[in-house]
Amino acid sequence: MTEEKQEKHGEFEREPVPVSKTRGLKAFVGMYAGEHCAGTELMIGPLFVAAGVSAFDVLGGLFLGNLLAVLSWMFLCAPIAVRARLTLYYQLEKICGRNLVTLYNLANGVMFCFLAGSMITVSATALGVWFNFPMPGLNDLLPNSVGWVLAVLGIGTIISVVAACGYDTVSKVANIAAPWMVLVFFGFGIIGLRQFIEVTGAEVNSLSSLWELCTTSIWTGGDPLPGQIKFTFWHVTFFAWFCNMAMHVGMSDLSVLRFAKKSWHGVASASGMYVGHFMAWLAASILYALQLHMDPTNTNVLPGPLAYRAAGVAGLVCVIVAGWTTANPTIYRAGLAFQAIMPNKSRFAVTIGTGLLATLAGMFPAIAMRLLGFVAIYGLILMPMGAVIFADFWILPKLGLKQYYAEHRSLKMNWAAGIAWIATLTICVALVLSGKPQFQIYFVSLPGWFIASALYIGLSKLQQKGEA
Amino acid sequence: MKKIMEIISYLALVLLVVAPLLFYAEKITLELNKTLMLVATIAWFASALCWMGRKSES
């Protein structure tokens, strides 16, 4: 494929990105800020409050967890991305072989579908404000009204068709919406804070009085709401660190950062973390805490009504746009992952099918209402392959072992990588099922990364024994 | 024309920040804040579409 043709398609799928096509820091700052200010932020912030976080735990935990996430991008993902300059899929294919990559694509596609489903759920809550149909509660697992099903179906169908037609237009709208959306999120926080001051009668004229309002009225700590797990400082830290685990530790962003001029450009992820996963989560959590303060029986986590009470129609538009612009590329990516498994089917048909699967998932509020746990599972499933890539790139050559073993031996399946992946997941699931608090789903990915790396190195040694 | 649209876009973003801050300072009501945020939203999308999309195309 000529460079001109590749450039037209915008990708260098099976060869390193040439240095002439690399981009500066600024391009990544905007991209990360937009990508991590999504519809799901409106669910995650409130779910922290439902989990009974205290002010110190949520502020300190988010600060530290997001810092660890940025460092993971900078020191795990970006250094490999700028040296190899390959997509995740091509790099994995060279290490694991075509068949294992197909399995990875299947797992990735399914997780993307569920994630897109939760984004559709978020958008549908805005329609509930306009059409006033019953919407699901915090502990609902199944759809609870015909209106809800129709709203999700309507939004999901539109999103699927647009994604199938190619998401260039949506991508442009998403770029235009990004700065506006960030400021609407900021507005949610400021408005919520003022409303808190009004309903509590607190006098806020200094940082210490603001802190007192935060600790006594907003993030009060204590018991979580019924059906929710109690979140401590470490839960918040690990959640913030690992919620994008698939992208940094799991190396999905090799495909993005291979275009970076320098590996330190991974620091651009800080814009997404501290705008989307700090400011936006806190703003959304303030709105939910206010709702609970005014009516403790109203535990529903519904971004539509929350945004409408604070910012009116602009808030509702924000909920729809935030869900739509992020669900679209997610469905598109899931479609691409599935199409790699079914190359004979047209991209249009696969994307429509994928979108409808996501729509079906979106009808079940269980995913959105259990988003904290789902996101942790998503990271866990894809994490071991990141560990395999890390070990293959840095450690195997130092041990005198061959990198890119599947390519070297023309294998369809590198069993060392396959066993490392499946065994790590099995061990992690067993640890979670042990019920020990230190092995909750939010924490288990950390030991899991070391397990996956050690397994892959050990098995590779075994596999390459006797080879020159 | 493009320059004017660009200026309108930035003014819309300023309004989007200023309206909640004015509400926080008790200078405007919540209802007026909501109206101003809606106006800023319409102004942003109407004006930004005229220059941001084209800029990224070029």
Side-chain angles (χ1 to χ4, degrees):
Chain A
M1 197 186 262
T2 64
E3 190 167 301
E4 194 183 330
K5 207 170 175 185
Q6 281 167 332
E7 198 181 349
K8 198 176 158 195
H9 290 280
E11 284 166 313
F12 294 86
E13 284 182 0
R14 300 187 74 81
E15 62 182 303
V17 172
V19 176
S20 62
K21 296 292 171 194
T22 55
R23 297 172 202 155
L25 179 70
K26 208 176 146 191
F28 298 98
V29 170
M31 190 213 77
Y32 275 108
E35 194 175 320
H36 295 281
C37 209
T40 41
E41 322 314 349
L42 289 161
M43 293 297 302
I44 292 170
L47 288 173
F48 281 156
V49 176
V53 287
S54 69
F56 175 80
D57 290 352
V58 74
L59 290 168
L62 286 184
F63 179 79
L64 179 61
N66 284 319
L67 181 65
L68 290 168
V70 173
L71 294 176
S72 301
W73 260 296
M74 279 179 77
F75 295 113
L76 286 177
C77 185
I80 297 178
V82 299
R83 283 170 175 84
R85 298 205 179 278
L86 300 173
T87 64
L88 165 76
Y89 299 107
Y90 189 46
Q91 187 134 352
L92 267 184
E93 194 180 312
K94 282 153 78 80
I95 298 169
C96 305
R98 187 99 190 123
N99 289 351
L100 196 52
V101 172
T102 301
L103 199 62
Y104 178 88
N105 271 331
L106 184 67
N108 205 5
V110 170
M111 298 318 278
F112 271 142
C113 265
F114 287 133
L115 202 59
S118 66
M119 290 163 183
I120 296 170
T121 301
V122 169
S123 288
T125 63
L127 290 190
V129 175
W130 268 311
F131 298 104
N132 204 25
F133 50 76
M135 287 196 276
L138 180 59
N139 292 315
D140 280 344
L141 303 177
L142 302 171
N144 63 341
S145 72
V146 177
W148 172 255
V149 171
L150 291 177
V152 175
L153 188 64
I155 288 188
T157 306
I158 293 168
I159 290 175
S160 306
V161 171
V162 174
C165 292
Y167 73 89
D168 276 4
T169 311
V170 179
S171 164
K172 276 179 197 157
V173 174
N175 286 340
I176 290 170
W180 163 83
M181 207 151 55
V182 168
L183 295 181
V184 175
F185 272 98
F186 173 75
F188 287 156
I190 298 294
I191 295 162
L193 207 53
R194 175 77 245 166
Q195 289 176 314
F196 247 117
I197 293 169
E198 280 173 11
V199 297
T200 55
E203 218 167 273
V204 175
N205 45 25
S206 64
L207 274 180
S208 63
S209 55
L210 177 63
W211 181 246
E212 185 161 339
L213 177 73
C214 291
T215 53
T216 56
S217 300
I218 304 177
W219 302 289
T220 54
D223 290 335
L225 293 178
Q228 304 297 306
I229 290 175
K230 168 73 181 172
F231 258 42
T232 62
F233 173 84
W234 293 112
H235 284 85
V236 178
T237 301
F238 273 79
F239 182 82
W241 184 12
F242 288 163
C243 70
N244 286 129
M245 192 176 210
M247 293 177 184
H248 44 70
V249 175
M251 303 280 178
S252 261
D253 273 1
L254 287 180
S255 307
V256 173
L257 290 169
R258 70 199 168 116
F259 286 98
K261 279 194 199 302
K262 307 277 182 194
S263 73
W264 68 266
H265 288 177
V267 76
S269 56
S271 65
M273 295 303 97
Y274 288 99
V275 170
H277 293 186
F278 191 86
M279 183 272 285
W281 285 357
L282 291 180
S285 71
I286 290 173
L287 295 183
Y288 182 66
L290 177 70
Q291 175 186 299
L292 280 182
H293 186 88
M294 294 174 77
D295 179 5
T297 62
N298 184 5
T299 59
N300 296 343
V301 178
L302 298 169
L306 284 174
Y308 185 67
R309 278 195 290 272
V313 177
L316 281 186
V317 174
C318 179
V319 171
I320 294 174
V321 170
W324 180 47
T325 53
T326 44
N328 234 298
T330 309
I331 289 174
Y332 182 79
R333 283 178 197 152
L336 287 181
F338 286 138
Q339 203 194 6
I341 302 164
M342 300 176 281
N344 296 331
K345 300 274 180 201
S346 76
R347 194 185 59 77
F348 184 89
V350 173
T351 311
I352 286 282
T354 307
L356 292 179
L357 193 62
T359 304
L360 187 67
M363 286 175 190
F364 292 85
I367 299 166
M369 301 302 165
R370 297 279 183 274
L371 197 60
L372 301 183
F374 170 73
V375 168
I377 293 170
Y378 171 50
L380 172 65
I381 289 176
L382 302 181
M383 167 277 293
M385 283 311 205
V388 164
I389 292 173
F390 181 88
D392 194 84
F393 195 85
W394 295 113
I395 301 173
L396 259 52
K398 286 193 170 57
L399 298 175
L401 299 172
K402 279 261 177 272
Q403 283 180 297
Y404 303 135
Y405 193 69
E407 182 186 58
H408 173 66
R409 293 289 306 270
S410 304
L411 298 175
K412 290 249 184 241
M413 164 85 92
N414 176 351
W415 59 262
I419 292 175
W421 185 21
I422 303 301
T424 302
L425 291 183
T426 309
I427 294 168
C428 287
V429 169
L431 289 174
V432 172
L433 293 177
S434 74
K436 292 186 177 155
Q438 67 269 34
F439 294 131
Q440 279 181 14
I441 185 71
Y442 305 101
F443 308 128
V444 79
S445 289
L446 184 60
W449 188 87
F450 289 99
I451 293 168
S453 304
L455 279 173
Y456 180 64
I457 294 166
L459 292 168
S460 293
K461 222 166 175 174
L462 207 64
Q463 187 180 38
Q464 298 185 32
K465 206 175 173 184
E467 284 185 25
Chain B
M1 187 63 180
K2 199 184 129 198
K3 197 75 200 163
I4 294 170
M5 287 300 169
E6 218 171 318
I7 292 167
I8 292 173
S9 300
Y10 290 125
L11 287 176
L13 292 185
V14 170
L15 180 60
L16 210 55
V17 177
V18 168
L21 289 175
L22 287 174
F23 171 67
Y24 183 85
E26 295 184 281
K27 301 290 180 197
I28 61 173
T29 62
L30 181 61
E31 286 314 306
L32 180 56
N33 169 59
K34 287 177 181 177
T35 307
L36 291 177
M37 286 183 80
L38 180 60
V39 169
T41 297
I42 295 167
W44 166 256
F45 279 103
S47 57
L49 276 170
C50 298
W51 62 275
M52 267 185 92
R54 285 177 195 173
K55 206 174 185 178
S56 61
E57 270 169 32
S58 66

